[in-house]
Amino acid sequence: MAIPKDAVIRLDPEGIPKRWYNIAADLANLEPMLNPQTKEPVKPEELEAIFCKEIIRQELSKERYIDIPEEVRDNYVSLNRPSPLQRAYRLEKYLKTPAKIYFKREDMSPLGSHKGNTALAQAYFNAKAGIQTLTTETGAGQWGTALAMVSNLFDIKSTVFMVRGSYDQKPFRKTIMHLYGSEVYASPSAQTEYGRKILKEHPETSGSLGIAISEACELAAMSGGTTKYALGSVMNHVMLHQTVIGLEAMEQMKMAEIEPDYMVACVGGGSNFAGFTFPMIGEKIKGKTDCEFIAVEPEAAPSMTKGEFKYDFGDTAGMTPLILMYTLGSQFIPSPIHAGGLRYHGMSPLVSEACKEGYVKPVSYDQTSTFEAGTLMARTEGIVPAPESCHAIRAAIDLALEAKKTGEEKTIVFCLSGHGMLDLGGYENYLNGTLQSSALKE
Amino acid sequence: MAIPKDAVIRLDPEGIPKRWYNIAADLANLEPMLNPQTKEPVKPEELEAIFCKEIIRQELSKERYIDIPEEVRDNYVSLNRPSPLQRAYRLEKYLKTPAKIYFKREDMSPLGSHKGNTALAQAYFNAKAGIQTLTTETGAGQWGTALAMVSNLFDIKSTVFMVRGSYDQKPFRKTIMHLYGSEVYASPSAQTEYGRKILKEHPETSGSLGIAISEACELAAMSGGTTKYALGSVMNHVMLHQTVIGLEAMEQMKMAEIEPDYMVACVGGGSNFAGFTFPMIGEKIKGKTDCEFIAVEPEAAPSMTKGEFKYDFGDTAGMTPLILMYTLGSQFIPSPIHAGGLRYHGMSPLVSEACKEGYVKPVSYDQTSTFEAGTLMARTEGIVPAPESCHAIRAAIDLALEAKKTGEEKTIVFCLSGHGMLDLGGYENYLNGTLQSSALKE
């Protein structure tokens, strides 16, 4: 079939948003992070050991809009922003649905995912504060890749602690980070006191995200101020930076006169969901849209569909502040699904609060059904989605099939958070029938 | 550093060219393919066993322009055409060169390379002729991936014979083709008489491109007309379809008032070089530009820099027509460099003739120096190039360094033919110092 050329809705580079949207200004009952010792709200200065001042200001801000520095906007061009909004004509036709399906293309970044949107902003503010090195952890590798690349844009260094299991099993992620000039250590490593302690006690461990976070934070805290820590999800400033996705999408929907009934994105820590939906949820809070916002979790880590809304630690080791969020408990270890970016026990406090206040509807899927959706996306639209993004596609397809039943011309817009070029092992397992079900054991 | 937002020069979808440019109309001394038995020019009907009539018409055409059907233009949108032309400000800055460096981004296709430009056209014309299945060979895998994807766009099937060595060593390329719904066989296979013969004689063979071509052609020839063969390089109609690259680039250069001193692309069979440069070489033939055209070969397969200009077979088994081209001899086996797409003994007859007539300057590089250039591209521009494209980047960098010596503000435009997400093994070898030199043994 031919697809009309209007299938792709583009903005020119001047269409890159000038301000990030901060949903903290519009949520009614947002509660602060607490110091786990004192149970008092965390003070800005308590965060200074690991974050620079501007990042802390943004983390705690209740201003509705925060200006995007011109140099950040210029550099967003290097991430191929603005990203296209595209109509999935062929997927619609295959499904024989009256629904219109659109997707926002974060897969177009040279990094392959949306992670660069905040990595770039964090690198900029840290460079401007005179920081020489950013350090972070990475599990699946997308976040480490993003930080490694953007650090070069602002002439700072990056040090990444990669969970040993991934380091050994996903060697190409490590290769990309090296290619970008990053220092990459398998965690636990001999670079930190905490890492050495773990290595001594458990020399054969495959590591964990919790351990890697602790190592990165220790490196920052012990650097005497030259090194700061960068986080790829969960925290408020990360959600803030990601709103370029949704702000662009709103502009594109306005241009093409698209009124979404559903906006759909996958959720792990919450960053691509927040970035994609928060600006439109802001409209919903003002009563300006009836759009529903669907957050798609893996059944392996269903924090909003099955977790509790309570104060919990953001990491496994209990070193972070206490944050009010939907959580499966900080000791919860999700099964090793291919969508590594969704394997998190908790949920961004902003996404959690938006859900608690009724603006977000969480759903969850088994990974087999998500790979089925990703395969259909590849065969119809020609794009191989990341396993994380397959969750959003699965839910979008189900909404389109529901619309087929009812005969309603629903408009569904989902976020394609990344491509799957480095996740083909999961597709291979799906295609040859060896993919494991990932449902949570009850 | 900040890069200006004008770094990216875009066309809107209506800017997709309406006609392909056929350089055969403008080359003075083009000689026809010969039937190896009769030594007479190949007649159209001799090609009908494996190609549909419209493809044969294009292959033999001397018309200067051939209309691009509207349905092909529409579908080019699915390959993310028009592709951006981008200025490499950060690479320029790193090199401290007065030269301006631009690159045309064929890496933006969901297929990761330029190969879809002709795959899509071939699938369209065959589908329109009622063909049910396209069959082809693939070595490194880019071409097979492209054909697998575009076949879905026109509801036809694809069968790919993948050289067994690649099939076993590059399992993810096979996974993508399966994902797109293609039938993929390790070649030699039990699917064809020729494959069975080879398997019987050499059960342990890792196969070759020559064998895979023979299998694909046999499948087409023996199908009774339901299956045709598709080729990804070398032949005239392939070069024709690829000219969308150069036609877009010319329009973009016109918009941004860029007058190139050099246009640079890598060459294997010749398709991305031809597609990128032929429209501008057409201007050169008319005396309208002084631009120089640099074809970058691997030292492992230096057909234009070290080969002979003569009639030779296009394949190893001697089953194709005889074609007049630069060749290293049809029995020449290039060493196993990572740039698998450049491992070919000959050169497109159109590129060969343009070179013979003085319009193309061939150069060659060792693979180590090309990975060095690719790594620099990743660190400055954030993009990981395909090993093939690294050849073009190496030559562009050397021209920029030459301009630095002479102080001249040269304008260099190169073709980034694809990304390297599925070629990270080569980068890993480069980074850890285990990459082999690929120079031709004298």
Side-chain angles (χ1 to χ4, degrees):
Chain A
M1 79 179 277
I3 58 163
K5 287 190 204 65
D6 70 6
V8 183
I9 303 147
R10 288 196 174 281
L11 299 174
D12 69 30
E14 273 308 324
I16 292 172
K18 293 193 164 63
R19 305 183 301 179
W20 290 298
Y21 168 65
N22 181 13
I23 201 169
D26 290 320
L27 290 174
N29 303 309
L30 205 57
E31 297 289 341
M33 291 186 285
L34 302 181
N35 178 315
Q37 274 81 49
T38 65
K39 301 288 189 308
E40 292 294 315
V42 169
K43 297 187 191 77
E45 53 272 26
E46 294 179 69
L47 297 169
E48 284 180 18
I50 57 169
F51 295 115
C52 72
K53 283 183 182 169
E54 177 58 24
I55 292 293
I56 297 167
R57 189 185 76 77
Q58 293 174 12
E59 179 62 28
L60 303 174
S61 171
K62 297 273 177 112
E63 289 172 61
R64 184 165 288 114
Y65 294 103
I66 292 180
D67 285 344
I68 306 180
E70 201 55 27
E71 201 173 337
V72 170
R73 293 182 72 232
D74 282 342
N75 279 287
Y76 274 153
V77 173
S78 302
L79 304 184
N80 299 328
R81 302 218 74 83
S83 76
L85 181 69
Q86 192 161 325
R87 182 155 171 194
Y89 277 110
R90 285 202 193 83
L91 178 58
E92 291 172 18
K93 189 188 171 199
Y94 177 89
L95 297 173
K96 298 189 178 75
T97 176
K100 293 176 188 170
I101 306 175
Y102 295 85
F103 56 107
K104 178 72 171 164
R105 296 198 60 179
E106 296 302 305
D107 66 313
M108 299 283 275
S109 164
L111 305 174
S113 85
H114 70 294
K115 288 289 185 192
N117 298 327
T118 182
L120 194 155
Q122 292 187 49
Y124 169 79
F125 291 117
N126 278 286
K128 219 170 157 224
I131 304 308
Q132 293 162 21
T133 304
L134 277 173
T135 180
T136 196
E137 74 290 336
T138 198
Q142 288 99 327
W143 170 245
T145 302
L147 197 74
M149 184 274 209
V150 299
S151 298
N152 291 328
L153 303 183
F154 300 105
D155 297 322
I156 57 178
K157 293 176 191 162
S158 56
T159 303
V160 179
F161 292 90
M162 186 172 191
V163 177
R164 174 165 290 284
S166 298
Y167 187 91
D168 293 339
Q169 283 161 34
K170 298 196 166 193
F172 291 146
R173 281 286 178 192
K174 178 183 58 188
T175 301
I176 297 189
M177 289 184 267
H178 280 151
L179 191 50
Y180 285 137
S182 198
E183 280 187 21
V184 186
Y185 298 106
S187 168
S189 78
Q191 302 298 310
T192 66
E193 199 175 320
Y194 187 68
R196 288 188 293 270
K197 179 170 171 285
I198 301 277
L199 277 178
K200 198 171 169 189
E201 290 167 9
H202 309 281
E204 300 298 322
T205 180
S206 61
S208 75
L209 213 46
I211 296 169
I213 291 174
S214 304
E215 287 205 277
C217 288
E218 181 186 323
L219 197 75
M222 303 304 284
S223 72
T226 60
T227 298
K228 296 290 179 190
Y229 172 66
L231 188 67
S233 195
V234 182
M235 290 183 80
N236 299 1
H237 65 278
V238 178
M239 307 297 129
L240 175 79
H241 301 151
Q242 291 291 359
T243 60
V244 288
I245 306 172
L247 291 162
E248 283 179 13
M250 276 176 65
E251 189 61 30
Q252 289 162 316
M253 291 193 286
K254 202 168 133 192
M255 280 168 62
E257 298 179 3
I258 298 162
E259 292 187 8
D261 295 296
Y262 303 103
M263 288 179 77
V264 183
C266 63
V267 276
S271 79
N272 103 84
F273 177 82
F276 179 59
T277 62
F278 277 3
M280 196 71 170
I281 291 179
E283 296 299 289
K284 178 115 175 180
I285 293 170
K286 286 188 262 173
K288 290 190 176 172
T289 176
D290 293 326
C291 184
E292 289 183 47
F293 304 93
I294 315 295
V296 192
E297 302 188 320
E299 285 192 353
S303 52
M304 288 196 289
T305 43
K306 299 208 174 162
E308 264 186 273
F309 187 73
K310 66 175 188 186
Y311 271 102
D312 196 5
F313 289 105
D315 67 337
T316 309
M319 298 177 72
T320 67
L322 287 165
I323 48 187
L324 184 59
M325 62 179 178
Y326 284 98
T327 173
L328 296 156
S330 62
Q331 299 308 307
F332 179 85
I333 308 283
S335 65
I337 54 171
H338 288 282
L342 306 183
R343 294 182 67 226
Y344 185 60
H345 70 272
M347 181 53 60
S348 143
L350 290 173
V351 173
S352 292
E353 180 59 28
C355 183
K356 184 78 181 164
E357 295 186 21
Y359 299 116
V360 173
K361 184 184 167 194
V363 296
S364 70
Y365 283 100
D366 178 82
Q367 74 172 349
T368 307
S369 70
T370 67
F371 274 107
E372 182 192 27
T375 301
L376 190 53
M377 182 76 181
R379 291 195 183 168
T380 54
E381 297 295 323
I383 298 164
V384 179
E388 291 83 0
S389 315
C390 288
H391 288 72
I393 300 169
R394 174 76 264 169
I397 288 174
D398 283 359
L399 289 167
L401 292 175
E402 184 61 31
K404 182 177 170 180
K405 270 192 205 153
T406 63
E408 289 175 293
E409 281 187 34
K410 296 288 190 186
T411 298
I412 302 157
V413 188
F414 71 85
C415 187
L416 184 66
S417 54
H419 68 57
M421 286 296 113
L422 293 177
D423 302 283
L424 290 165
Y427 281 101
E428 183 59 34
N429 291 348
Y430 169 71
L431 292 169
N432 69 26
T434 60
L435 192 73
Q436 299 293 314
S437 166
S438 64
L440 197 57
K441 310 288 179 294
E442 299 283 344
Chain B
M1 79 180 275
I3 58 162
K5 287 189 204 66
D6 70 4
V8 183
I9 303 147
R10 288 197 174 280
L11 299 174
D12 69 30
E14 273 309 323
I16 293 172
K18 294 193 164 65
R19 305 183 300 180
W20 290 298
Y21 168 65
N22 182 12
I23 201 170
D26 290 320
L27 290 174
N29 304 308
L30 206 57
E31 298 288 341
M33 291 186 285
L34 302 181
N35 177 315
Q37 275 80 51
T38 65
K39 301 288 189 306
E40 292 294 314
V42 169
K43 298 188 189 76
E45 52 272 26
E46 294 179 66
L47 297 170
E48 285 181 16
I50 57 169
F51 295 114
C52 72
K53 283 183 182 170
E54 177 58 24
I55 292 292
I56 297 167
R57 189 185 75 79
Q58 293 173 12
E59 179 63 28
L60 303 175
S61 170
K62 297 275 176 113
E63 289 172 60
R64 184 165 288 116
Y65 295 102
I66 292 179
D67 286 345
I68 306 180
E70 202 54 28
E71 201 173 338
V72 171
R73 292 183 72 233
D74 282 342
N75 279 286
Y76 274 153
V77 173
S78 302
L79 304 183
N80 300 328
R81 303 217 73 83
S83 75
L85 180 69
Q86 191 161 325
R87 183 156 170 193
Y89 277 110
R90 284 202 193 81
L91 178 59
E92 290 172 18
K93 189 188 171 200
Y94 177 89
L95 298 173
K96 299 190 177 72
T97 176
K100 294 176 188 170
I101 306 175
Y102 295 87
F103 56 107
K104 178 72 171 164
R105 295 198 60 179
E106 296 300 305
D107 65 312
M108 298 284 275
S109 164
L111 305 174
S113 84
H114 70 293
K115 288 289 186 192
N117 298 328
T118 182
L120 195 154
Q122 291 187 48
Y124 169 79
F125 290 118
N126 278 286
K128 222 175 154 218
I131 303 308
Q132 294 164 19
T133 304
L134 278 174
T135 181
T136 196
E137 74 291 336
T138 199
Q142 289 99 326
W143 170 244
T145 302
L147 197 74
M149 184 273 208
V150 300
S151 297
N152 291 328
L153 304 183
F154 300 105
D155 297 321
I156 57 178
K157 293 178 191 161
S158 57
T159 303
V160 179
F161 292 90
M162 186 172 191
V163 176
R164 174 166 289 285
S166 298
Y167 188 92
D168 293 338
Q169 284 161 32
K170 298 198 166 191
F172 290 147
R173 282 286 179 191
K174 177 182 60 190
T175 302
I176 298 189
M177 289 185 268
H178 280 152
L179 192 49
Y180 285 136
S182 199
E183 280 187 21
V184 186
Y185 298 105
S187 168
S189 78
Q191 302 298 310
T192 65
E193 198 174 321
Y194 187 68
R196 288 188 293 271
K197 178 170 172 288
I198 301 277
L199 277 177
K200 198 171 169 191
E201 291 167 9
H202 309 282
E204 300 300 321
T205 180
S206 62
S208 75
L209 212 47
I211 296 169
I213 292 174
S214 304
E215 287 204 276
C217 288
E218 181 185 323
L219 197 76
M222 303 303 285
S223 72
T226 61
T227 298
K228 296 290 179 189
Y229 172 65
L231 188 67
S233 194
V234 183
M235 290 183 82
N236 298 2
H237 66 279
V238 178
M239 307 297 128
L240 175 79
H241 302 151
Q242 290 291 358
T243 60
V244 289
I245 306 172
L247 291 161
E248 284 179 13
M250 276 176 65
E251 189 62 29
Q252 289 162 316
M253 291 193 286
K254 201 168 134 191
M255 280 168 62
E257 297 179 4
I258 297 162
E259 292 186 8
D261 294 296
Y262 302 103
M263 289 180 75
V264 183
C266 63
V267 275
S271 79
N272 104 83
F273 178 83
F276 180 58
T277 62
F278 277 4
M280 197 70 170
I281 292 179
E283 296 300 289
K284 178 111 172 180
I285 293 171
K286 285 189 261 172
K288 290 189 177 174
T289 176
D290 292 326
C291 183
E292 289 184 45
F293 304 93
I294 316 294
V296 192
E297 303 188 320
E299 284 192 353
S303 53
M304 287 195 290
T305 44
K306 299 207 174 162
E308 263 185 274
F309 187 74
K310 65 175 188 184
Y311 271 104
D312 196 4
F313 289 105
D315 67 338
T316 310
M319 298 176 74
T320 68
L322 287 166
I323 49 187
L324 183 59
M325 62 180 177
Y326 284 97
T327 174
L328 296 155
S330 62
Q331 298 309 305
F332 180 84
I333 308 283
S335 64
I337 54 171
H338 288 282
L342 306 183
R343 294 182 67 225
Y344 184 61
H345 70 272
M347 180 53 58
S348 142
L350 289 173
V351 173
S352 292
E353 181 59 28
C355 183
K356 183 77 180 166
E357 295 187 21
Y359 299 116
V360 173
K361 184 186 166 190
V363 297
S364 70
Y365 283 99
D366 179 83
Q367 76 171 346
T368 307
S369 70
T370 67
F371 274 106
E372 182 192 28
T375 301
L376 190 55
M377 182 77 182
R379 291 197 183 167
T380 54
E381 297 294 324
I383 298 163
V384 180
E388 290 83 1
S389 314
C390 288
H391 288 71
I393 299 169
R394 174 75 265 170
I397 287 174
D398 284 359
L399 289 167
L401 293 174
E402 184 61 30
K404 183 177 169 180
K405 269 192 207 154
T406 63
E408 289 175 292
E409 280 186 34
K410 295 289 190 185
T411 298
I412 302 157
V413 188
F414 71 85
C415 187
L416 184 66
S417 55
H419 68 57
M421 286 295 112
L422 294 177
D423 302 283
L424 290 164
Y427 281 100
E428 183 59 34
N429 291 349
Y430 169 71
L431 292 169
N432 69 25
T434 61
L435 192 72
Q436 299 294 314
S437 165
S438 64
L440 197 57
K441 309 288 179 291
E442 299 282 344

